[in-house]
Every structure is written in C-alpha cells, then in structure tokens.
C-alpha cells in the first residue's frame, strides 16, 4: 500500500507539473475584468423561492416572449424583454407537510432536500406546459395552462420521469408529445434512459450486460436527422453523461469517462428479445485531453449543441473538468456531428468476463447492423420497425452497447483551457461580423458566479471579458440565450439575471473598441455601438482577426492626461499608469526614447501600477510617456513632466513701495514649482503635528504616573480627628488618602475601606490615658428630609450626597464619652445643612 501511495503521489506531481507549466498557450487570460459593481444593463428577478435552475424561453409569445422559471416550490412566468419589470406571474407548488415529514423520517435534509424542486419544465403542446418536481422525495408531474398560468390537472405519479433526489444528474426533453428522460430515478435504482409516454415505455438493459454504470447525466438533444435524408433515416435523441470506465487503461485518472449515447426516436423495442428495451442504444467515449501534456479531462459538466443551419452542421461544445480533487482546472472541447456518427458506425467493444473489462470485438457482425435505425434499405427488406429485427441482432445489441472508436475533439485538443477555474455551464451564439465571417460566441459560467465571454478566432480562443455576476459566490446553474432580446438569462440559487449579449458601451475609445475583438461591436467614428442596431454598416469599423486596425494613425494622445511632478534629488517618485486591459503591456519613454532599462542600477522600477524613479538624479528630468502596447499597437495612456531639483529654492523678499520700514515676507509660491511647494508645506504640517502629539503624549504620561501613585494609597478612607490638644469637643472629618505626598501613621486603623467617624481619636497628650469609647448617640427627631429618607442616625450604609456612603460605627452604650453631646449636635447641624440636597431615589450599590 505504501508503494501504491508513493506511485500515486508521483503521478499527481507529474500531472500537476505538466498542467501548470507557464508555457501553456491554451490558458487564455480574459482581457477585461468587470467586478460586480461595474455591471451595466443587468436586470434581476428574485422571487419568494430558491434554486432558479430550470429555464424555458418561449420566443413566439407576444410582447417579446416569456421566460418560464422553475425554482424550489414555485414557478414563474417573466417578461422576456425585462424580467425585472414587475409584471410576472407566479405558481406556488409546495410539497404538503405530511410529505415533508415522511421525507424527514427517511433521514433526508429538511433544509435542502425535502422540498418540491422543479426539475422538468417544457412545452407540451400549443396551450400547455408539462412540469415535474421532486415533491419531497416523491416525484409528481402536472400540466400548466400557459394562457392563465395555473395548474390545470391533478398531479400524476412522476417516479418514472423525475428523480427523487434534487442533486442527482438529470436531463429530459419533450419531442412530438414523447418524453425522454435520463437519471437515477430512485435512490436504490440504477441509472436509466427512458421514454415515458406514449405507450410502450422503453428502458435500458441491466442484465446480463449493464448498459450504464453509475452514470451522471448532463444534457440531451433531439436531432431531426430524418429531415431531407437521402436514406430515409430516423430522428435521434442524444444523451451526454459521465460514468465509470469499463475500458482497460493504464491510467487511474480514467476511472471515470465522458460519454455520448443515442437512441432512435422510432424505436419500439424488440418482439421477444429486448421487450420494452431499447434496440438502438449505443454509446461512445468523448475525449477531451491535451496529448502533449498527457492530461485527460474526464468529468463532463455541461453540453451545448449549436444548430444554426440544420442538423448536419451541428456542433457540440462540452465543458469538462478533472476528477482529481487537488487540481482545479477546466477545458472546453468542440465536436462535430460527423465525428459522433463516425464513432457509432465503427467497431464494437465486448465484455468477455464478469470483471467488466471491455476489449475490441473482432468477430463477425450480424446483419442488419445492430443498433441502427430503420431506413429505406431496411424497409425494402421487410424490416419496418424494431420489432422486426431478428433475435441474433438484438442479442448482439444487448451484449455490445459500447463502441470501440472514441469521439475526439476538433484540432485534437481543447478549444480553451483555464487554470484555477471550474466551469459549470455553457451557451453558444453564432454571430456574423462585419467581415462576413461567422464567429461562435461562448458564454461560460463558473462555480463561483463569474461569466466569461469568449470568441473563437481561427484555432484559438479570445476571452473578451470576465464579469462577476453575484456579490456572494454561487454556481451558475443555467444559461439561456435570446437572440430576439439580445440577452442572456442566468439561473442561480438566488435568482435570475438578464444581461445584454454585448458590452459595446463599455469601450470609450476607438482603440478599446477595436482591441476588444467583440463580434457584436463596431466603431462608428464617435462611439462603440452594437452593429445589429445599424442598418447602414458602411461607416462601422471592426477587426476581429487581428484587433489592431481601424483607428488610423492616432496614438490616443488627445485622451491622455498630462501632469507635472517635482522631486528632490535622492528621493523616490512614482508615476502612475493604470491599464484597463489585462493583455496590455506598459511601455515607458523618456523624451521620446525608450528607457535604458529596468535593472537594479538603472534607477527605474516598473510595476503594474506605474514607474518608480529610485533616488532621483538631475539627468532623470524630462517628459515621461506611458504607452499600452496591445496587438502590436501602442496607445498613450499617461504623460508626465518631471523635474529633479538639487536643493530647495532660495527665499524671496518683496520690497513694498512706501517710506515705512520694509519687512521680509514669506517666499511666494513659484508658478513653475507647484508640486515642490506643496510638498514642503505638507512637510511643515507633518512636523508640527508630530511635535504637538509628542507633547500631548508626555503630558498624559506624567498625569497617568501621578494618578497611579495616588491610587496606591487607600482610597475613600476617612478618620475623625480632634482639633483640640486636650479632649476638645471640636472634631473634623478628614480624608486620609487625599494627601498623595505621604501616608499618615494612623492609616492602618481604617482597614474597612469606608468612611469612619471615630470619636476620641483626636490628638491627645501622650501622658494621658485615651478616653473610654463613647456610648451610642440617642435617636434623632423622626422628621423626613427632602429625599424621603429618615433622619434617624443610621447604623447601616446610607447615601449622603451623590454616590457616597457613610458607615457610622457606634460604640458600647455603657461607655459614654464627654464628646457625645458635642458630636451629636455637630452631626445634626451637618444633616440640617444637607436637608435640601438632591439625592438619588435608589442607592447605587456599585459605589459601596
């Protein structure tokens, strides 16, 4: 096991090393990056639901068409011309509570799974739509009246048409009243491709040879190959999915492979063999790899079929990803219908044992060819339907569903490759440019909510821009293009977004319009506009192939700003030059000549934000120009006049024309030195602020030290002292801790931390005995004070003034001091003075 782990680690390292080589020319950089705040022309629809992943566009409706949306527990009909207009219609279709409870009892998530997720929504006929939902793990289907937009029939069982699990891969189409779907319908069932109605229903075979092996379905399409067919061929339905590989391979990375399968629309199953099973089912592998790097993209995530001029010109665009968890990368591969047909007309694979190992079949193939549709040749031989095939042909089909020949991409490599990006969905629109050529515009969504607009130019791809569609990252679940509305609709978990197909208004100059190489846009001499809006296109300029001609000999100097900078010798100076294009390269000139270089001794450093002049020297003064070099053209972006000074300018003295004594004045600002004088003024302001702040810090430090020293003494302790030398009746309340210079010797006697009135502790003669403790004073008159508290002498804590408290310590009543009466009178006088003092209604015990 340890040896296998080492081999696997080395394989991962080799794959990553090959995949992330810097010389990979397929990894295209988007020209412009547009953040969420920079979106233009975006229109949002957010209803009372989540997971807006099912979209159906009907262009034939009045008022610009209708966009039907299936979400979690709801369906919406939106105005396709403006989905944010507010005139939408809503159908709420939630699963009942008892069904949700049954879903919970099965251990499913009551936050995500136990809802009615709309998985299928398509037109059934001229008046009705047909829709299916998971219905809290018990799928149901129903019909919708398009005119009134309401459910028009009782729900019917959908377990054969819609998966239970909302996260399972699923695809389905309605063709001439027949429903074709593919999924793992129940959580214990095997994946299956079915025709659900009309009767009879057909399925894929499960034994003795399993036709589908843990398949995850992505998409499906109907190609009407019977139209203008010279052989009387049948229409076909193609399914795209990823499954476990059964072919022998030396690479572990091919444990999963992408597939394309097809069935004939006129298939009715066999008479005795393959009853209610497909007789035309065949599948082949879709290859999307980079042979030079020996790396394979095996996970199919999305497929779009472009049918612009009939089925024979159909082009398939697939989004692929890697199954390696530590490699985040995506690829776009392109296939033609001829390549797919060639694979289905080739040799078969066979399984010789029960180990699911498939090899090429080299034996004799029975006649008529197994898996073929009914043609004029077969009808002439008396085979008018699939039930007329002999058992030998049907038994061969049962055991040989896999084709040996693989479907390889055009140019034998991906159209587009992106590091650190997981593409999720793709939609393609074919555009005719001013040169008369057709260009395929690719709209590609990512798993974190970005949309890439790319155009195929010859064998290469050019990403025009990348746009952030959401503030919070979320996958793009669906992309639908409306040619009539010139819009693209984006479905996500939080809502539906409508964006214009073009971004011509974003390009503000001729060069930006030409450099973009956008097939939708052209320069009309004043602005960049959409070519579809012009009936007379003779005045428009566009260059898709090269992206560098059409703007004459202009260098863009008229739109570039010019600024002046002054710097002292030895200081650094940054000259900013912001480029809007990610593909442009900054090039700097000094007085019309290229800079000598950007080495360590050149005195210059160049970066993405501009040019840094390091330790400026007088010979570096002059005119600096920053050009954006793109597609072989240089466009002026910014220009600076830089002056390097050796020292400060001398002060000037103004002479006043009067007989009074003339005083020197501050030097006046020089018109030719604005940058320098502003710099010196700001320097003086900064020095003044530093001095003031330093003084404040010093003062605060002294105050804090003083307070810290004071707080070390015992706070809030009081003692009652006598003013008389010999048992005088005059007493005084004195704060012991108020003197921060030193502590008194008797401070230890006040250990309770409260105000104490201690009679008899005056300064007596050292030759006399201390007096006995005084008896408790008699109660005071029971009059009420202004604060509502009794004036009786308290023996507990009592609020006296503000938040201060007093504790009166009373001695033994039997030992009465001569100071008793004078103490009582003095205290009564103090209380009488504070009679009208405003006190709080409720004592604040935090002040104790």
């Amino acid at each position: 096991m340890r040896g296998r782990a080492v081999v696997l680690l080395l394989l991962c390292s080799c794959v990553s090393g090959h995949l992330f080589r810097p010389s990979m020319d397929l990894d295209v950089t988007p020209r412009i990056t547009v953040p969420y705040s920079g979106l233009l022309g975006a229109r949002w629809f957010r209803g009372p639901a989540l997971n807006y992943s099912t979209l159906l566009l009907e262009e034939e409706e009045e008022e610009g068409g209708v966009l039907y949306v299936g979400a979690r527990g709801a369906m919406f009909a939106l105005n396709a011309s403006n989905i944010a207009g507010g005139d939408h219609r809503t159908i709420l279709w939630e699963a009942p509570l008892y069904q949700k409870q049954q879903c919970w009892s099965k251990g499913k998530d009551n936050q995500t799974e136990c809802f009615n997720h709309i998985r299928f929504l398509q037109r059934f006929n001229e008046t009705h739509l047909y829709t299916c939902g998971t219905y809290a793990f018990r799928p149901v289907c129903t019909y919708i009246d398009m005119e009134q937009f309401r459910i028009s029939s009782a729900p019917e069982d959908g377990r054969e048409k819609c998966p239970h699990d909302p996260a399972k891969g699923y695809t389905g189409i309605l063709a001439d009243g027949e429903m074709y779907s593919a999924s793992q319908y129940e959580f214990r069932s095997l994946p299956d491709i079915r025709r659900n109605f009309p009767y009879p229903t057909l399925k894929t075979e499960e034994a003795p040879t399993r036709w589908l092996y843990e398949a995850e379905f992505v998409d499906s399409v109907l190609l009407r190959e019977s139209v203008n067919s010279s052989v009387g061929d049948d229409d076909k339905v193609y399914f795209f999915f990823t499954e476990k590989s059964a072919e022998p391979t030396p690479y572990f990375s091919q444990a999963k492979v992408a597939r394309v399968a097809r069935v004939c629309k006129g298939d009715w199953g066999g008479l005795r063999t393959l009853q209610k099973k497909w007789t035309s089912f065949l599948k082949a592998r879709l290859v999307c790899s980079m042979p030079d790097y020996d790396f394979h993209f095996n996970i199919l995530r999305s497929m779009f079929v472009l049918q612009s001029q009939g089925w024979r010109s159909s082009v398939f665009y697939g989004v692929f990803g890697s199954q390696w968890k530590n490699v985040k990368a995506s690829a776009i591969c392109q296939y033609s219908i001829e390549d797919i047909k060639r694979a289905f007309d080739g040799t078969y694979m066979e399984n010789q044992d029960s180990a699911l190992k498939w090899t090429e079949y080299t034996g004799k193939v029975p006649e008529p060819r197994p898996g073929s549709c009914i043609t004029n040749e077969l009808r002439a031989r008396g085979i008018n339907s699939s039930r007329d095939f002999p058992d030998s042909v049907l038994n061969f089909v049962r055991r040989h569903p896999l084709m040996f020949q693989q479907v390889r991409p055009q140019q034998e490599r991906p159209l587009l490759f992106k590091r650190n990006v997981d593409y999720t969905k793709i939609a393609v629109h074919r555009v005719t440019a001013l040169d008369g050529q057709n260009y395929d515009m690719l709209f590609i969504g990512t798993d974190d909510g970005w949309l890439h607009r790319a155009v195929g130019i010859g064998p290469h791809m050019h990403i025009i821009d990348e746009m952030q569609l959401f503030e919070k990252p979320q996958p793009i679940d669906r992309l639908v293009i409306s040619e009539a509305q010139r819009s693209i609709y984006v479905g996500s978990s939080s809502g539906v977004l409508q964006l214009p197909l073009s971004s011509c208004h974003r390009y503000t100059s001729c060069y930006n319009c030409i450099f973009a190489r956008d097939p939708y846009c052209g320069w009309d001499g004043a602005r960049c506009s959409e070519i579809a809006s012009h009936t007379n296109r003779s005045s428009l300029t566009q260059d898709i192939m090269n992206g560098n001609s059409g703007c004459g000999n202009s260098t863009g100097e008229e739109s570039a700003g010019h600024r002046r900078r002054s710097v002292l010798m030895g200081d650094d100076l940054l000259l900013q030059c912001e480029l809007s294009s990610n593909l442009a390269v900054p090039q700097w000139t000094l007085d019309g000549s290229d800079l000598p270089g950007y080495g360590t001794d050149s005195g210059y450093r160049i970066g993405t934000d501009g040019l840094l002049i390091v330790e400026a020297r007088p010979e570096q003064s002059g005119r600096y120009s920053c050009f954006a070099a793109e597609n072989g053209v240089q466009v002026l972006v910014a220009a600076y006049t830089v002056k390097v000074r050796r020292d400060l300018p001398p002060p000037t003295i103004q002479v006043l024309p009067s007989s009074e004594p003339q005083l020197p004045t501050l030097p006046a600002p020089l018109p030719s030195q604005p940058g320098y004088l502003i710099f010196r003024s700001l320097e003086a302001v900064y020095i003044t602020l530093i001095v003031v702040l330093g003084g404040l810090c010093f003062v605060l430090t002294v105050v804090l030290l003083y307070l810290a020293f004071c707080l070390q003494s015992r706070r809030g302790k009081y003692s009652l002292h006598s003013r008389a030398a010999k048992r005088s009746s005059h007493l005084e309340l004195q704060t012991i801790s108020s003197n921060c210079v030193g502590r008194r010797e008797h401070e230890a006697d006040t250990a309770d931390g409260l105000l104490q009135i201690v009679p008899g502790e005056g300064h007596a003669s050292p030759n006399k005995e201390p007096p006995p403790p005084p008896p408790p004073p008699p109660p005071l008159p029971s009059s009420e004070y202004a604060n509502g508290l009794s004036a009786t002498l308290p023996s507990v804590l009592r609020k006296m003034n503000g938040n201060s408290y007093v504790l009166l310590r009373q001695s033994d009543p039997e030992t009465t001091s001569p100071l008793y009466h004078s103490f009582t009178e003095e205290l009564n006088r103090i209380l009488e003075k504070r009679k009208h003092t405003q006190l709080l209604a409720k004592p604040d015990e935090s002040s104790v």
Side-chain angles (χ1 to χ4, degrees):
M1 292 297 294
R2 180 176 300 177
R4 292 182 181 179
V6 172
V7 172
L8 182 60
L9 181 60
L10 291 176
L11 180 60
C12 293
S13 302
C14 294
V15 169
S16 300
H18 283 298
L19 183 62
F20 295 103
R21 286 183 181 178
S23 61
M24 176 64 67
D25 59 346
L26 295 178
D27 190 359
V28 182
T29 300
R31 181 178 181 271
I32 294 178
T33 300
V34 181
Y36 177 78
S37 59
L39 287 180
L40 300 177
R43 296 170 179 173
W44 272 102
F45 171 78
R46 295 183 176 94
L50 296 174
N51 301 339
Y52 301 80
S53 57
T54 304
L55 303 182
L56 172 64
L57 179 63
E58 292 291 339
E59 299 272 19
E60 299 175 357
E61 298 290 335
E62 64 274 4
E63 298 181 1
V66 178
L67 179 68
Y68 296 99
V69 181
R72 193 184 78 175
M75 289 172 286
F76 308 93
L78 310 179
N79 185 354
S81 60
N82 183 10
I83 65 173
D87 53 348
H88 63 274
R89 294 174 291 173
T90 304
I91 295 176
L92 297 179
W93 192 25
E94 285 281 5
L97 181 58
Y98 71 88
Q99 186 61 44
K100 292 183 178 181
Q101 291 175 344
Q102 292 182 6
C103 180
W104 302 340
S105 64
K106 296 177 183 178
K108 304 304 176 182
D109 192 343
N110 62 354
Q111 299 295 323
T112 57
E113 296 178 324
C114 296
F115 294 89
N116 185 26
H117 295 262
I118 308 301
R119 300 299 304 274
F120 186 86
L121 179 62
Q122 290 194 18
R123 177 190 281 268
F124 181 76
N125 55 26
E126 294 298 325
T127 59
H128 285 79
L129 302 175
Y130 192 68
T131 182
C132 298
T134 59
Y135 216 65
F137 269 73
R138 189 176 180 86
V140 296
C141 299
T142 189
Y143 294 88
I144 297 177
D145 188 311
M146 297 173 62
E147 182 178 357
Q148 300 181 6
F149 197 66
R150 64 177 180 84
I151 295 177
S152 60
S153 66
E156 58 187 32
D157 191 359
R159 286 178 291 179
E160 299 291 320
K161 308 169 187 176
C162 180
H164 290 64
D165 191 343
K168 276 295 179 184
Y170 172 74
T171 181
I173 60 172
L174 272 172
D176 303 328
E178 299 175 349
M179 181 177 180
Y180 299 82
S181 61
S183 182
Q184 180 182 344
Y185 296 94
E186 300 181 23
F187 54 90
R188 292 189 180 92
S189 67
L190 297 176
D192 193 7
I193 295 177
R194 298 178 180 178
R195 184 175 65 198
N196 299 285
F197 57 81
Y199 180 84
T201 60
L202 296 183
K203 301 181 180 180
T204 50
E205 183 63 276
E206 298 178 1
T209 302
R210 187 184 300 180
W211 288 0
L212 297 170
Y213 192 36
E214 297 184 13
E216 280 287 326
F217 292 93
V218 170
D219 212 334
S220 57
V221 64
L222 170 67
L223 294 186
R224 301 206 177 263
E225 300 182 20
S226 64
V227 178
N228 299 325
S229 174
S230 60
V231 298
D233 204 353
D234 193 11
D235 296 337
K236 298 178 181 64
V237 182
Y238 292 85
F239 296 88
F240 304 92
F241 54 96
T242 302
E243 69 172 354
K244 279 193 174 181
S245 173
E247 302 94 320
T249 172
Y251 302 106
F252 176 76
S253 61
Q254 298 177 11
K256 289 187 177 182
V257 292
R259 302 283 196 200
V260 54
R262 69 132 202 233
V263 294
C264 298
K265 185 171 175 291
D267 194 342
W268 289 85
L271 182 61
R272 291 178 298 272
T273 304
L274 292 181
Q275 291 184 5
K276 296 185 179 181
K277 303 293 177 64
W278 298 103
T279 65
S280 57
F281 176 86
L282 296 174
K283 66 179 181 179
R285 180 183 175 186
L286 290 172
V287 176
C288 185
S289 62
M290 294 180 290
D292 296 339
Y293 296 86
D294 196 20
F295 189 83
H296 302 269
F297 296 91
N298 301 321
I299 307 300
L300 180 64
R301 295 177 181 154
S302 178
M303 181 66 70
F304 187 89
V305 182
L306 182 64
Q307 304 181 61
S308 59
Q309 298 175 356
W311 68 270
R312 287 184 177 85
S313 62
S314 299
V315 180
F316 299 78
Y317 289 88
V319 173
F320 293 82
S322 170
Q323 69 185 76
W324 295 98
K325 300 298 183 182
N326 61 337
V327 176
K328 186 175 183 179
S330 299
I332 308 294
C333 281
Q334 180 186 26
Y335 310 90
S336 68
I337 185 61
E338 294 299 329
D339 295 332
I340 295 178
K341 287 178 65 65
R342 191 177 301 112
F344 287 129
D345 292 338
T347 57
Y348 300 87
M349 299 277 283
E350 68 172 349
N351 180 22
Q352 297 289 353
D353 51 34
S354 60
L356 294 178
K357 296 299 182 183
W358 294 70
T359 58
E360 182 182 5
Y361 176 76
T362 58
K364 182 179 179 180
V365 177
E367 286 290 337
R369 181 177 173 83
S372 61
C373 300
I374 303 301
T375 62
N376 292 336
E377 179 185 356
L378 295 180
R379 294 186 186 97
R381 297 168 56 180
I383 301 176
N384 297 310
S385 74
S386 60
R387 293 179 179 179
D388 298 330
F389 282 125
D391 289 344
S392 60
V393 172
L394 299 181
N395 282 321
F396 188 92
V397 169
R398 169 182 285 176
R399 295 183 177 274
H400 302 82
L402 179 61
M403 307 309 297
F404 174 76
Q405 185 171 342
Q406 301 173 347
V407 184
R408 306 197 66 85
Q410 296 184 349
Q411 291 90 41
E412 293 292 326
R413 61 176 180 82
L415 278 179
L416 177 65
F417 163 75
K418 282 302 295 177
R419 299 182 182 96
N420 303 319
V421 173
D422 279 340
Y423 286 139
T424 57
K425 293 296 178 181
I426 185 173
V428 184
H429 184 220
R430 183 158 291 175
V431 186
T432 302
L434 290 178
D435 58 5
Q437 299 294 324
N438 291 327
Y439 297 92
D440 289 349
M441 280 289 301
L442 277 60
F443 298 83
I444 319 166
T446 70
D447 64 336
D448 54 357
W450 287 75
L451 182 68
H452 291 190
R453 295 193 319 126
V455 57
I457 304 175
H460 304 287
M461 294 297 298
H462 169 65
I463 301 181
I464 299 172
D465 50 30
E466 57 178 353
M467 295 180 287
Q468 183 185 7
L469 303 187
F470 310 98
E471 282 188 289
K472 297 181 179 179
Q474 55 187 289
I476 292 178
D477 297 327
R478 195 79 167 94
L479 291 174
V480 175
I481 293 175
S482 171
E483 186 171 358
Q485 302 299 327
R486 313 294 298 174
S487 298
I488 182 170
Y489 305 96
V490 183
S492 67
S493 60
S494 62
V496 183
L497 174 64
Q498 179 183 3
L499 283 171
L501 292 177
S502 64
S503 299
C504 305
H505 50 283
R506 193 180 302 279
Y507 313 125
T508 57
S509 67
C510 178
Y511 278 106
N512 276 333
C513 188
I514 298 300
F515 286 161
R517 305 169 80 177
D518 192 332
Y520 294 113
C521 304
W523 184 258
D524 62 2
R527 61 188 180 91
C528 193
S529 59
E530 192 170 356
I531 61 175
S533 62
H534 291 260
T535 56
N536 183 12
R537 303 179 180 179
S538 59
S539 61
L540 296 178
T541 301
Q542 188 185 67
D543 185 10
I544 305 300
M545 293 302 298
N546 301 310
N548 55 14
S549 63
C551 294
N553 298 324
S554 173
T555 61
E557 188 170 357
E558 62 278 357
S559 60
H562 184 271
R563 284 160 282 188
R564 297 179 181 273
R565 293 289 185 268
S566 294
V567 62
L568 283 176
M569 187 176 63
D571 288 348
D572 298 340
L573 178 63
L574 175 63
L575 304 179
Q576 293 184 342
C577 182
E578 297 181 0
L579 306 182
S580 60
S581 173
N582 299 324
L583 304 181
V585 177
Q587 293 185 357
W588 287 86
T589 62
L590 174 58
D591 294 333
S593 302
D594 294 337
L595 291 181
Y598 307 111
T600 56
D601 299 331
S602 64
Y604 298 103
R605 302 288 186 274
I606 189 170
T608 57
D609 55 350
L611 178 70
L612 180 64
I613 302 177
V614 183
E615 297 180 358
R617 302 184 299 272
E619 59 269 19
Q620 291 178 313
S621 299
R623 179 184 174 88
Y624 289 82
S625 300
C626 175
F627 294 88
E630 186 174 0
N631 299 337
V633 178
Q634 291 185 350
V635 179
L636 183 64
V637 178
Y640 298 87
T641 298
V642 176
K643 187 171 185 179
V644 180
R645 295 187 172 276
R646 295 181 178 274
D647 50 11
L648 295 176
T652 59
I653 300 178
Q654 297 180 354
V655 180
L656 300 177
S658 66
S659 58
E660 297 180 0
Q662 299 178 356
L663 298 177
T665 60
L666 294 177
L670 298 177
S672 61
Q673 309 170 17
Y676 172 78
L677 293 179
I678 292 175
F679 173 77
R680 303 308 299 178
S681 300
L682 291 176
E683 183 180 6
V685 172
Y686 293 154
I687 294 175
T688 305
L689 289 176
I690 292 173
V691 172
V692 172
L693 291 176
L696 290 176
C697 291
F698 176 77
V699 173
L700 290 175
T701 303
V702 173
V703 172
L704 290 175
L705 291 175
Y706 177 77
L707 291 177
F709 178 78
C710 294
L711 290 176
Q712 291 179 357
S713 60
R714 302 197 176 189
R715 300 165 57 184
K717 298 186 178 182
Y718 297 86
S719 180
L720 189 66
H721 297 275
S722 174
R723 290 276 186 169
K726 294 181 179 181
R727 304 184 64 86
S728 172
S729 62
H730 181 68
L731 300 177
E732 177 187 10
L733 279 172
Q734 183 178 1
T735 304
I736 298 176
S737 62
S738 61
N739 185 4
C740 291
V741 177
R743 293 193 179 100
R744 300 185 184 273
E745 296 178 357
H746 56 267
E747 212 173 307
D749 297 335
T750 58
D752 53 2
L754 299 173
L755 176 63
Q756 296 184 355
I757 303 176
V758 186
E761 291 188 3
H763 295 279
S765 173
N767 298 327
K768 294 185 178 181
E769 294 294 332
L780 296 176
S782 60
S783 60
E784 293 294 329
Y785 289 91
N787 59 3
L789 299 175
S790 176
T792 307
L793 183 64
S795 60
V796 295
L797 287 178
R798 175 66 52 86
K799 177 175 287 188
M800 293 300 296
N801 190 9
N803 288 334
S804 302
Y805 287 85
V806 173
L807 175 63
L808 302 179
R809 177 186 294 174
Q810 300 181 13
S811 303
D812 188 0
E814 296 182 358
T815 58
T816 304
S817 171
L819 300 175
Y820 165 73
H821 296 287
S822 61
F823 166 74
T824 303
E825 294 173 358
E826 180 68 19
L827 185 58
N828 283 333
R829 284 195 301 270
I830 295 175
L831 293 177
E832 186 65 18
K833 291 181 180 180
R834 298 185 179 182
K835 184 176 182 179
H836 301 288
T837 303
Q838 180 66 31
L839 301 179
L840 297 178
K842 184 177 180 180
D844 185 1
E845 296 182 359
S846 64
S847 301
V848 177

